[in-house]
Amino acid sequence: MIYKITNAALILMAATSGAMAQTDPLRFDPDDFTRQTITMPNGESVAYKAYEGIPYVKNIEDSTYQTLNIYVPETLADITRVPILMRTYVGGYMASTAKSPSPSDATGRALREGYVVCIPGSRGSNSTIDRDGKTVYTGIAPNGLLDLKAAVRYLRYNDALIPGESELIFTDGTSAGGAMSSLLGATGNAIEYEPYLKTMGAADTRDDVFAAICYCPITDLNHADMEYEWLYGCTNTGVRHLSEEQITISNELSAKCPSYINSLELKDKSGNIITADIYKEYLKTFLIASAHRALQEGCEIPDSIGFAFYQDKSGPMGAPGNIPRQGMRHRMDDNRDAPSFGPGNAPRFNKTSDFVSGLDLDKYLTYVATTTPLKTPPAFDQMGVLIPTPSPENKVFGNTYGDAANFTNFSLQHRLDNTSATLDAEMVERVALMNPMNFIGNDKASVAPNWYIRHGAKDRDTSFLVPVNLATKLMNADKNVDFALPWNRPHSGDYNLDDLFNWIKTTLSE
């Protein structure tokens, strides 16, 4: 039997479809925007449509933060598929509202390039609501990450309605935001997060991303204390001026690091295992590469901070005729990028330039420690060990009542109140969900294929081991990784945007 669809039936179907669209709280409305402009540093004005204050979950707990903004340039990039830059402004693991694009960072530059920009808000350690007359902390780990994953899902869910390509999401963040970007890149579609996202009413779709841009990511938190002391222990009795009690804690933490390094089974480009015995030599290659590029770009580096030099007179470094160079001056305001150091990318040399022939790492680390005072041990899980003050990380791993908490067994068992407890199962799970290293190279998640990781060569907010381990593990998992320790750069992000956007364009063309 053939059924004939009448005009009345068609009208009813259209009305029903429209009603469903209107009642879907996660449906993007392409007509609800305002027109705005942004003025770039060069004076150029970029016009765009602003879609703001959009909830990205059905079950909103904290309306101050659980919204996102989307910005669409009036003139989209003239390319086949337009990417979406998703920029988080998380800092210190605190909450972040959905912000407007800035001409001084990657959001403004992305609009100028004709890309779509998404800026989500997310809960954090300081976000609270009033519930039945009581203050409830809404942003304890992993809630901030869950919010950002829900924002990714919103973009995918509305792919047909939002300009830009949800298969080409580039996440971007700095510091704790860099950690969030690394987590978004490493934990795509991981089943461990699914119950949380379902409870929140996130869109029932994927949350993997195309690329993660990570500036100085403060991550691998449950190992960061031992990595910090293992690297910077050489400064304990010098510029760091630690007390005897602090040195004892530092030494105990440092002693735990080699076994962790060995457990990672990281490999260099030649396939050699990077054990703790040779790790510092591996680290030095990235610092030397950073210094090479700085020299090529005109920066003068003194011998006093640990580098040794040869000036090329007749051929490549090491050839007869190379002579030592002494007494170089150093411009302290230089903030130059190192070259890409991913697979297949080697430092660029110029036959007429100076070469770094070696590095005294302890001397260089002493230089870093003199520019900005180092953190005291433990650097991250500090609460209750030698001081009562909680760190930002202690706060984000706290509870909904606002009580901070230890998140490593070491600190829990070295508290001043002499606790002998161990982390409970819930805390172990929460810590694991906040560490991207747990999801790379083991098929537990859809890891982003492309990574841009930068950590300043004088950034001491976490150990160099944290970004180096992250980048190396990703390289070992055959990801496209552009990693460098930019010369003389402190803790900061969204710098050298020409380099970043050239990388984005190259990634899009591959």
Side-chain angles (χ1 to χ4, degrees):
M1 181 179 294
I2 300 176
Y3 294 92
K4 185 176 181 179
I5 301 177
T6 64
N7 287 337
L10 287 171
I11 293 172
L12 178 61
M13 291 170 62
T16 303
S17 175
M20 290 177 62
Q22 291 175 6
T23 58
D24 182 356
L26 295 182
R27 182 185 182 276
F28 175 76
D29 185 353
D31 298 320
D32 185 14
F33 65 87
T34 60
R35 283 191 161 85
Q36 301 180 17
T37 60
I38 187 171
T39 302
M40 301 302 293
N42 64 356
E44 178 183 357
S45 182
V46 179
Y48 59 89
K49 297 177 181 178
Y51 302 83
E52 299 179 315
I54 304 170
Y56 50 72
V57 290
K58 295 177 183 177
N59 305 323
I60 299 172
E61 180 183 46
D62 195 333
S63 58
T64 301
Y65 299 105
Q66 290 181 293
T67 65
L68 57 78
N69 298 337
I70 295 173
Y71 302 97
V72 180
E74 295 281 6
T75 304
L76 290 173
D78 186 17
I79 54 180
T80 303
R81 298 192 301 165
V82 175
I84 301 173
L85 178 78
M86 193 176 99
R87 176 64 155 89
T88 174
Y89 286 94
V90 169
Y93 285 96
M94 293 187 292
S96 176
T97 56
K99 300 185 185 303
S100 301
S102 168
S104 61
D105 68 20
T107 56
R109 176 62 178 269
L111 289 173
R112 179 190 169 203
E113 296 289 342
Y115 303 162
V116 175
V117 172
C118 173
I119 306 178
S122 58
R123 295 167 294 173
S125 62
N126 61 329
S127 59
T128 63
I129 59 171
D130 181 85
R131 182 181 296 160
D132 300 327
K134 297 181 180 180
T135 299
V136 176
Y137 284 76
T138 63
I140 64 172
N143 288 356
L145 171 60
L146 295 172
D147 286 346
L148 296 174
K149 290 176 80 70
V152 172
R153 290 189 172 201
Y154 182 91
L155 295 176
R156 287 196 176 279
Y157 183 73
N158 289 285
D159 182 57
L161 297 171
I162 299 173
E165 175 60 66
S166 68
E167 293 294 331
L168 296 177
I169 296 173
F170 288 73
T171 65
D172 178 20
T174 297
S175 192
M180 291 298 190
S181 186
S182 71
L183 281 159
L184 289 170
T187 66
N189 310 321
I191 195 171
E192 288 87 345
Y193 303 90
E194 193 62 35
Y196 299 94
L197 291 163
K198 185 175 182 179
T199 299
M200 293 166 59
D204 185 14
T205 186
R206 295 158 43 205
D207 53 53
D208 57 299
V209 299
F210 180 72
I213 301 164
C214 312
Y215 287 96
C216 50
I218 303 294
T219 191
D220 196 13
L221 295 176
N222 48 317
H223 302 106
D225 288 332
M226 64 178 71
E227 293 171 317
Y228 204 86
E229 300 311 318
W230 187 76
L231 184 68
Y232 284 113
C234 61
T235 70
N236 284 354
T237 57
V239 293
R240 204 175 182 192
H241 300 301
L242 297 186
S243 67
E244 291 185 8
E245 292 83 0
Q246 290 171 327
I247 290 175
T248 297
I249 293 295
S250 175
N251 290 341
E252 288 186 38
L253 282 166
S254 177
K256 291 180 173 294
C257 191
S259 62
Y260 174 60
I261 293 174
N262 294 339
S263 73
L264 294 174
E265 297 185 340
L266 301 175
K267 297 180 180 179
D268 64 17
K269 291 182 180 180
S270 300
N272 302 310
I273 296 291
I274 306 167
T275 65
D277 292 337
I278 64 171
Y279 189 96
K280 289 181 180 178
E281 292 301 314
Y282 180 65
L283 169 60
K284 284 161 62 173
T285 65
F286 296 98
L287 292 166
I288 289 172
S290 178
H292 273 308
R293 176 166 172 175
L295 288 172
Q296 292 171 343
E297 295 184 350
C299 181
E300 296 178 349
I301 303 173
D303 306 311
S304 60
I305 65 172
F307 289 96
F309 304 93
Y310 283 95
Q311 188 171 34
D312 183 42
K313 295 297 182 182
S314 62
M317 185 171 59
N322 285 348
I323 59 173
R325 187 190 62 170
Q326 301 291 333
M328 290 303 296
R329 292 175 294 108
H330 178 54
R331 287 196 288 267
M332 298 303 294
D333 59 347
D334 272 311
N335 284 319
R336 303 183 186 275
D337 263 353
S340 299
F341 212 76
N345 295 319
R348 298 167 297 175
F349 297 115
N350 185 315
K351 289 192 67 174
T352 62
S353 70
D354 298 307
F355 293 101
V356 179
S357 62
L359 172 62
D360 182 330
L361 185 60
D362 286 358
K363 185 179 288 188
Y364 180 75
L365 295 173
T366 298
Y367 158 71
V368 172
T370 60
T371 62
T372 306
L374 297 178
K375 299 178 180 182
T376 55
F380 299 94
D381 191 3
Q382 68 179 32
M383 186 184 71
V385 179
L386 295 175
I387 57 174
T389 309
S391 69
E393 293 77 18
N394 288 133
K395 292 178 181 179
V396 81
F397 283 112
N399 60 29
T400 57
Y401 302 105
D403 301 318
N406 294 108
F407 53 89
T408 65
N409 281 321
F410 179 91
S411 290
L412 190 61
Q413 294 166 8
H414 283 75
R415 291 176 58 93
L416 293 170
D417 51 15
N418 297 317
T419 179
S420 59
T422 57
L423 299 179
D424 61 31
E426 180 188 24
M427 181 62 78
V428 170
E429 178 184 4
R430 292 171 64 197
V431 172
L433 292 176
M434 293 295 288
N435 193 336
M437 299 290 283
N438 295 331
F439 297 87
I440 301 168
N442 53 21
D443 297 325
K444 293 180 65 175
S446 301
V447 179
N450 303 290
W451 293 75
Y452 184 91
I453 304 173
R454 292 292 186 269
H455 182 98
K458 69 172 184 180
D459 182 349
R460 70 4 141 216
D461 278 41
T462 192
S463 166
F464 292 129
L465 277 68
V466 170
V468 169
N469 289 349
L470 176 63
T472 304
K473 191 166 187 178
L474 288 163
M475 293 177 195
N476 293 168
D478 295 324
K479 304 305 177 184
N480 172 33
V481 183
D482 191 318
F483 172 62
L485 302 175
W487 177 251
N488 217 36
R489 173 71 60 172
H491 194 67
S492 53
D494 272 21
Y495 47 78
N496 289 63
L497 293 179
D498 285 347
D499 281 4
L500 172 60
F501 280 84
N502 285 336
W503 175 80
I504 291 176
K505 291 173 184 177
T506 299
T507 303
L508 292 172
S509 66
E510 291 178 348

